[in-house]
Amino acid sequence: MKVGVLGAGQLGRMLALAGYPLGLRFCFLDPAAGSPASALAEHVVAPWGDAQALTQLAECDVVTFEFENVPVETVEMLATRTQVCPGAKALAVARDRLHEKTAFQELGIPTAKFAAVDDAAGLASALSEVGLPAVLKTRCFGYDGKGQHVIRSAADADAAWRALGGQPLLLEAFVTFSRELSLIAVRSRSGDTRFYPLVENEHREGILHLSRAPARNLDPAQQTRAEEHARRLLERLSYVGVLTLELFEVGGTLFANEIAPRVHNSGHWTIEGAETSQFENHLRAVCGLPLGSASARGPTAMLNFVGHMPPAARVLGIAGAHLHDYGKLPRARRKLGHVTLCGASPADLEAKIAEALALLEP
Ligand code: AMP
């Protein structure tokens, strides 16, 4: 079976690595030459709307994406010629924060108060509706904390408008959370679902830094609640594949922040830390195969290498460490690789995390 993938970044590369043992073949489309997946598989370098490239992709048995800023029209066009999972509907909801939040609201999933902002007058009325502090975000194309501005005072509002005004925006109430969690969920073509244990995520400068899975002191009721939220989303979107739900924990409540219609950085730990990785389960889902267990094998962590890769020998000197180097050129704020740390116990895992964090010190 041949899988077409829109996007050839590290997520695509890890999809290919998970798919080869299953006998799958891959064809990637990405406008950027030399992307991480190109070292492993056929890579068509062309714009997203290129007719010849899309004909090549449409020859695949199924097409999926590892990047949500692909034009919806590209996905719609491919869907007329081959199977595309998850579909254009899921992509259209996930790439626009207003649609995403509206879906949470309609499905009864708690989320921060929000209001759409289309012009300067709209910002003033949104601020009176949502209150302060608040976060102004671009509706589309925001990632790794880009395209957002915290507003704590009227003066901040002017600065935020100057930085982001002129494009569709969303204002949301600032959530004072105790921690950030994510749930990686997967749904098969036949509607079967699996949920990984909740992951606890720490960010640095808006970029994922460290994930611990399962989240520490995980209340089973919290896991059940998160799964119920994700199940409603999967069903509403007739979803096939991996869906990631990002959450803020506030007391016993989980507020949905956003969804990603794809495998996710906070699920990289599953490669070594779960019975079946998120990449393999995504492929099983989109190829119409049975899903694998999403159970954790033990306490696991994932540390991102951003802007700089520590020497491989030092990373691998940590017992239970698994290194992933995406083969990218170093650049500030760029995700270059990660390490997965498998612990014998929660205390052992914390010791390994401390060792790995020491490698990031200058
Ligand atoms: P996002 O692009 O929506 O995932 O936001 C990036 C990061 O900004 C999140 O992981 C949070 O740490 C923070 N953030 C986003 N929205 C809010 C909010 N409404 N309240 C508090 N922090 C937020």
Side-chain angles (χ1 to χ4, degrees):
M1 209 168 174
K2 192 163 185 181
V3 181
V5 185
L6 299 169
Q10 63 265 21
L11 300 177
R13 179 176 166 116
M14 288 183 269
L15 278 171
L17 287 168
Y20 287 135
L22 306 182
L24 302 175
R25 289 172 302 125
F26 291 86
C27 176
F28 289 87
L29 171 61
D30 195 307
S35 294
S38 62
L40 274 90
E42 183 184 350
H43 173 195
V44 181
V45 181
W48 299 117
D50 184 90
Q52 201 184 332
L54 293 183
T55 298
Q56 251 175 290
L57 261 278
E59 282 163 9
C60 294
D61 300 287
V62 61
V63 170
T64 189
F65 40 88
E66 57 99 84
F67 176 64
E68 64 261 41
N69 291 326
V70 174
V72 175
E73 306 74 59
T74 296
V75 172
E76 282 170 345
M77 201 283 254
L78 283 167
T80 63
R81 296 160 71 176
T82 187
Q83 183 114 18
V84 182
C85 307
K89 185 164 130 194
L91 181 66
V93 170
R95 71 204 298 278
D96 184 325
R97 292 185 194 271
L98 179 62
H99 296 163
E100 204 170 54
K101 297 263 174 199
T102 305
F104 296 151
Q105 214 171 39
E106 286 173 3
L107 294 170
I109 301 170
T111 194
K113 228 173 166 186
F114 65 93
V117 174
D118 296 320
D119 49 35
L123 177 56
S125 62
L127 279 166
S128 59
E129 195 183 326
V130 167
L132 288 177
V135 190
L136 186 65
K137 299 180 175 182
T138 55
R139 274 173 54 180
C140 302
F141 304 115
Y143 69 98
D144 288 345
K146 288 183 191 159
Q148 47 182 282
H149 226 93
V150 177
I151 302 180
R152 297 184 190 277
S153 66
D156 289 346
D158 291 339
W161 179 256
R162 276 196 302 277
L164 301 176
Q167 55 190 323
L169 300 171
L170 187 82
L171 186 77
E172 6 174 299
F174 187 88
V175 180
T176 311
F177 51 80
S178 48
R179 58 180 177 170
E180 294 190 66
L181 301 170
S182 59
L183 186 79
I184 313 285
V186 58
R187 184 171 181 270
S188 72
R189 283 199 199 171
S190 59
D192 193 17
T193 51
R194 295 279 189 283
F195 303 94
Y196 290 87
L198 277 164
V199 185
E200 181 180 343
N201 300 311
E202 285 176 29
H203 294 81
R204 269 193 191 171
E205 296 172 17
I207 302 176
L208 183 63
H209 169 57
L210 178 66
S211 294
R212 287 181 175 88
R216 289 172 292 180
N217 306 317
L218 183 54
D219 174 0
Q222 200 75 307
Q223 176 77 29
T224 305
R225 224 168 278 135
E227 291 183 12
E228 280 166 6
H229 296 342
R231 186 173 283 111
R232 271 180 242 158
L233 286 159
L234 290 169
E235 279 164 18
R236 164 67 63 98
L237 299 171
S238 310
Y239 202 91
V240 175
V242 163
L243 175 89
T244 306
L245 174 59
E246 295 184 29
L247 300 153
F248 296 139
E249 188 178 53
V250 184
T253 306
L254 292 174
F255 282 75
N257 175 35
E258 61 175 355
I259 52 174
R262 53 171 171 79
V263 289
H264 193 257
N265 195 173
S266 69
H268 290 0
W269 67 275
T270 61
I271 297 175
E272 294 89 3
E275 296 285 342
T276 316
S277 79
Q278 62 164 350
F279 301 99
E280 180 173 336
N281 258 338
H282 181 73
L283 293 168
R284 289 189 188 207
V286 305
C287 293
L289 298 166
L291 299 179
S293 161
S295 298
R297 293 179 193 272
T300 310
M302 189 278 327
L303 179 69
N304 266 338
F305 297 130
V306 178
H308 167 75
M309 279 301 287
R314 294 200 56 204
V315 178
L316 297 173
I318 303 171
H322 301 272
L323 176 64
H324 297 257
D325 183 333
Y326 311 147
K328 288 159 83 171
L329 289 175
R331 197 193 294 158
R333 295 180 58 81
R334 194 176 219 196
K335 290 173 183 169
L336 303 176
H338 72 265
V339 62
T340 307
L341 303 161
C342 299
S345 65
D348 178 52
L349 181 65
E350 290 309 312
K352 286 174 172 155
I353 292 173
E355 273 187 78
L357 287 173
L359 300 180
L360 304 185
E361 300 300 325

